[in-house]
Amino acid sequence: MLDSLRMRLWRNTVAPPGEALVVPSRQVKPTRRANIHTNIRSPRERILRQLFERISYVAPALSLQRLTNCVADAESGLIVRQDGAFDDLTRPVASYHVDTTREGLAERIRASVSAKMKGELIHVFPRSSGAYGTFLLDGLCGLAELDDYISEHRLKLWLPAVFPKWVPRYLSQLGFGRRHAMRVGGFVGFNGLTLATTLNCEHCFHPNPESLAKLRRFVDAPEPTPTRRLYLMRDSGSSPRFVENEAEVRRLFAQAGFESVDPGRLSFRDQIELFASAQAIAGSHGSAFANMIFAAPGAQIIDLMPEDWIGYWDDDGRAERWLFNLTGACGHDYSLVLSPSHMNGDRFRTNSGTRPPTLNSTVDIAALRDALAHL
């Protein structure tokens, strides 16, 4: 029986300390540079190249803070502290779901409590954990680092009810069932809530190689056996990004020995085992690539990125670099194919209250052929 699947019993509540440093920050210095394949020459293309000039990055520290008498809005992810101020960890991600600058918002949240949680809970999974990459690289990585801490202090996980059903299902497969993870929505009051810095999503954008290694042990990932080439489809996803010439792209990858797979239709265990068998992974820029952490060092990654993805999010280039940083943390080779695209709607900004715009792209076949030739 897997150690990470052991049953955890909380008969009494043990309050954790107010603050704790779990993992210090560290400089990550990969040796591989990005290979960019494109026929586009534009201001965005130049911005992208500038973003990729620097290889190293800083993986943030993982620390904890315990709050008392706080209130959370499960819909947005905002947490209001006892003093009536927003908690800084949750505000950046929440600003993509609600206007956090709205006057009187904190007071309305504290006055709208619909459920009271007794005992001690821990909050590890960001509001954006419905995106698989955030779930895996922030929430689950944090859970792997904090497994012993959670057991020692007999903490239960709080899971906002807005998370898709696969989130608690995957967690239950790791031994965090209903007795250990509480899925509650609305405006929730907590007597004691410990927050992990994974809530700011920085661990997804700047992954710590040691935390990734701990996560692989936590989920009992098999020893990599690199034999397969995978092309990642997005048929089961709800992303507003589409590839106009998807059929042509699949045919080209099939000719290069890639099999088309849709990770969203697989169980968590099947995804782990599938990517552990990969020697090459390709697909449209998106969360399914996070599974590359289970592939062997030296795996070759081909990221199909639409031109309008550059600046799509108001995050100073983090969204463009996250896969590059992840390949660096895992020791993979990274190639990016930049293709023409069209965006319907305004760019997604914080505190705007708008939904992400749709983004249609047409993969540059000549640039893709060039990338495949370098495999």
Side-chain angles (χ1 to χ4, degrees), residues 65-139:
Q65 180 184 10
R66 181 174 178 267
L67 302 182
T68 58
N69 192 24
C70 61
V71 176
D73 173 13
E75 180 66 33
S76 68
L78 274 173
I79 291 182
V80 183
R81 302 194 306 257
Q82 186 173 6
D83 62 6
F86 289 127
D87 180 77
D88 290 337
L89 275 178
T90 58
R91 188 167 187 164
V93 176
S95 67
Y96 285 104
H97 302 277
V98 66
D99 182 1
T100 63
T101 65
R102 192 188 316 159
E103 186 176 353
L105 179 60
E107 290 83 354
R108 285 195 290 274
I109 290 176
R110 284 200 67 89
S112 303
V113 174
S114 55
K116 281 275 192 178
M117 305 299 293
K118 297 180 180 179
E120 293 287 334
L121 289 92
I122 188 166
H123 191 19
V124 175
F125 290 89
R127 168 60 179 83
S128 53
S129 290
Y132 182 75
T134 302
F135 165 81
L136 190 65
L137 300 175
D138 286 302

Side-chain angles (χ1 to χ4, degrees), residues 146-167:
L146 297 168
D147 185 33
D148 292 339
Y149 182 91
I150 291 171
S151 297
E152 177 186 353
H153 296 287
R154 300 166 192 165
L155 304 178
K156 289 186 178 181
L157 292 173
W158 175 53
L159 301 177
V162 294
F163 287 175
K165 293 181 179 179
W166 59 260
V167 171

Side-chain angles (χ1 to χ4, degrees), residues 27 53 61 74 92 144 169 206 241 259 288 309 357 371:
Q27 184 84 13
E53 285 179 356
R169 185 170 68 248
H206 305 104
R241 305 194 300 277
E259 54 185 299
W309 183 253

